[in-house]
Amino acid sequence: MTKLDDAVLLEKEDRAGPWRAALSSQIAGPLAALVLAIVIFSATTDSFLNPGNLSLIAQQSVVVGTLALGQTLVILTAGIDLSNGAIMVLASVVIGNLATDGNVLGALLAGLATCLVLGLLNGVLVSQFSLPPFIVTLGVLSVLTAAARLYTDSQSYPITSEFLTALNEGPAFGGVTITYGVMLWIGLTAILGYALTQTAWGVRVYAVGDNPRAAALTGIKVKRVLLSVYLTAAVVYAFAAWQALGRTPTADPSGYATANLDSITAVVIGGTSLFGGRGGVVGTLIGALIVTVLANGLTQAGIDSLYQQVGTGVLVVIAVAVDHFVRTRQTR
Amino acid sequence: MTQFVLQARGLTKHYGHVVAMDNCDFDLRAGEILAVIGDNGAGKSTLIKALTGAVIPDSGEIMVNGEPVHFRSPLDARKAGIETVYQELGVAPALDITQNLYLGREQRRKGLLGTVFRKLDKSAMRQGSARQMADLGIRVQSIRQKVDTLSGGQRQAVAVARVAAWATSVVIMDEPTAALGVRETNQVLQLIERVRENGLPVVLISHNMPNVWQVADRIHIHRLGRRIAVVEPDSTTMEEAVAVMTGAKQPEALA
Ligand SMILES: Nc1ncnc2c1ncn2[C@@H]1O[C@H](COP(=O)(O)OP(=O)(O)O)[C@@H](O)[C@H]1O
Ligand SMILES: [Mg+2]
């Protein structure tokens, strides 16, 4: 008897599957907020809803948005990465320095290697030594901030290579330029979204963030999953470094000083729980767009940009409150 | 002749000066629910851990279906078909029922999608978990429900369903109802009986004597690191068993 009921129920759900999943999940709230903000700014300003401005919003979101994708992976495991901006900056000055010889591809690969080594460092300290991610990445942040300046002697490198700034170019569709950087951002979101929701690795990332002891008891190699997350995030940060060189064609050791916190903001506004196990990269993409739309829209409306910080702060608190409610809810 | 699925002879385990197991024996028959009762600190959990590879005994022998085994880790025990429900630690609340049932054993799609793109076969896993839940008579609104939307009893039911799904020789439960109310406890007890009906023997560690007398076929009484008696609920009263368990009565006094 139960068999039949369940079978029927299951079939009905499978058809409604992807949509229901998307709408019922954490994405619904951030998406509604984004749409609302766009509608309000479109209605109240003349300049917001124009192709050039929309394209600009996407471009302005790209660096922090990409960093935030890696940050999402770490936060899903109940970790936090305060060092991601600094890793990106070090990678970009390494690229900028090495590219002065003209070997651009080699420079880019060296940037990737820089990110991987630092991701490995964070990952090993967190997984093998069971140190708290907050402290580990705070330490790495501090060391790297100094390292980037020592490495460059506090100079910045102008980027002249077209290949290195190529991500800021792109085709225009009806007046809206979609840069390769924006495409890369969306592509990375799609790939990570697939990995998180459609593969066993993804399920294990969520499980490790949700309940590491239960995950370990089911035979999941928790340390290995954690290490894989920090390494994957590092690869994403390397892409962010390339994006950054396109956005501003100088590799500046003191740039992007708040990118780490901005990426956390995007993740949280995007509906991912700081306690791990809940959320995802599509929400983070929306979260990053919300922050930029707020800044851009308020500027268009002629409102002091300090109010953008107020608005972002309010959204962060709302997101955390919603998460708290979701985690503590009990049916019956 | 009775078949023994899981046995132990002369298990010993010292923690410094503490003797957690002292020449302990254990026998589980095919198709039975065997309860293990004993005072706090008697060594029940240590025995269970030794049987599931979580603790390596100093000496003694463990046999699965009469064959000696040497478990080095919980994974070894699992490979031998022994699955364990741990108290309160069974499930990941942010994951749904299917993800919990298949955690660590996810199924991938056939063909390129599975081998190259590592794509999960979600519909097969959902069907599998719906079938498993139905077989055990566990009713939930949807197999896609996240576990944190379930009641405590339903959560424990999911943990039981998982071990029952993967166990091929023995299901072990350490205090599965300790955190549950009366109604939910009864649901889990029914579930344990279902697991037995489906052909798997169950080892149930419990402090709740009425529960034990309700479902157990035999009762292993543990005291000071060893099995001091095995009784049947029909021929022994709870009072007698508790007296033996606490040392107030000698095991020989039992009929
Ligand atoms: N890892 C350990 N280290 C030291 N002593 C332990 C350890 N595990 C169990 N013990 C001791 O072994 C004895 C038996 O414990 P346990 O098997 O947990 O008993 P029970 O489950 O019957 O309450 C207790 O005295 C306990 O303190
Ligand atoms: Mg115990």
Side-chain angles (χ1 to χ4, degrees), chain A residues 238-261:
Chain A
F239 282 111
W242 192 9
Q243 312 262 34
L245 294 177
R247 285 291 304 152
T248 35
T250 37
D252 178 359
S254 49
Y256 290 101
T258 64
N260 54 354
L261 298 183

Side-chain angles (χ1 to χ4, degrees), chain B residues 34-71:
Chain B
L34 175 73
V36 176
I37 63 173
D39 247 350
N40 274 332
K44 306 180 294 293
S45 293
T46 305
L47 168 63
I48 293 315
K49 284 177 185 158
L51 295 173
T52 58
V55 152
I56 298 169
D58 298 338
S59 62
E61 201 173 28
I62 297 173
M63 287 145 288
V64 174
N65 295 319
E67 298 289 320
V69 291
H70 300 279
F71 297 146

Side-chain angles (χ1 to χ4, degrees), chain A residues 134-179:
Chain A
F134 184 94
I135 303 299
V136 167
T137 59
L138 183 65
V140 169
L141 160 68
S142 178
V143 171
L144 293 189
T145 305
R149 290 181 196 182
L150 291 170
Y151 177 80
T152 59
D153 207 9
S154 293
Q155 304 290 306
S156 33
Y157 299 104
I159 303 296
T160 50
S161 150
E162 278 178 18
F163 178 64
L164 287 183
T165 55
L167 293 184
N168 209 37
E169 311 294 325
F173 302 94
V176 185
T177 304
I178 311 277
T179 63

Side-chain angles (χ1 to χ4, degrees), chain A residues 1-3 5-7 9-10 13-18 20-21 26 194 197-200 203-204 206-207 210-211 213-221 276-279 326-327 329-332, chain B residues 75 78 86 89-95 99 103-106 113 117-120 122-123 126-127 130-131 133-135 137-144 146 148-151 154-155 162 183 194:
Chain A
M1 31 100 209
T2 37
K3 246 176 218 170
D5 290 357
D6 283 344
L9 191 65
L10 201 69
E13 272 187 349
D14 268 346
R15 242 175 273 137
R20 213 190 69 130
Q26 291 92 342
Y194 176 89
T197 60
Q198 304 299 321
T199 73
V203 177
R204 291 167 188 200
Y206 283 95
D210 187 25
N211 189 342
R213 293 182 65 195
L217 287 173
T218 65
I220 291 177
K221 299 197 167 52
R278 288 159 219 270
V326 168
R327 277 184 309 105
R329 83 183 149 191
Q330 294 282 341
T331 51
R332 303 164 205 229
Chain B
L75 213 57
R78 209 175 292 140
Y86 300 89
L89 276 176
V91 287
L95 301 188
Q99 288 172 325
L103 199 53
R105 290 179 163 107
E106 298 84 359
L113 273 180
F117 295 101
R118 323 297 285 178
K119 192 168 168 60
L120 291 173
K122 289 190 178 178
S123 70
R126 276 191 207 112
Q127 276 165 25
R131 201 177 316 119
M133 299 295 270
D135 282 352
I138 305 169
R139 291 189 128 276
V140 289
Q141 279 168 10
S142 153
I143 218 73
R144 288 175 188 239
K146 289 198 172 180
D148 64 1
T149 66
L150 301 176
S151 68
Q154 287 174 323
R155 286 184 202 199
R162 180 173 63 211
R183 197 175 62 90
R194 281 284 186 108

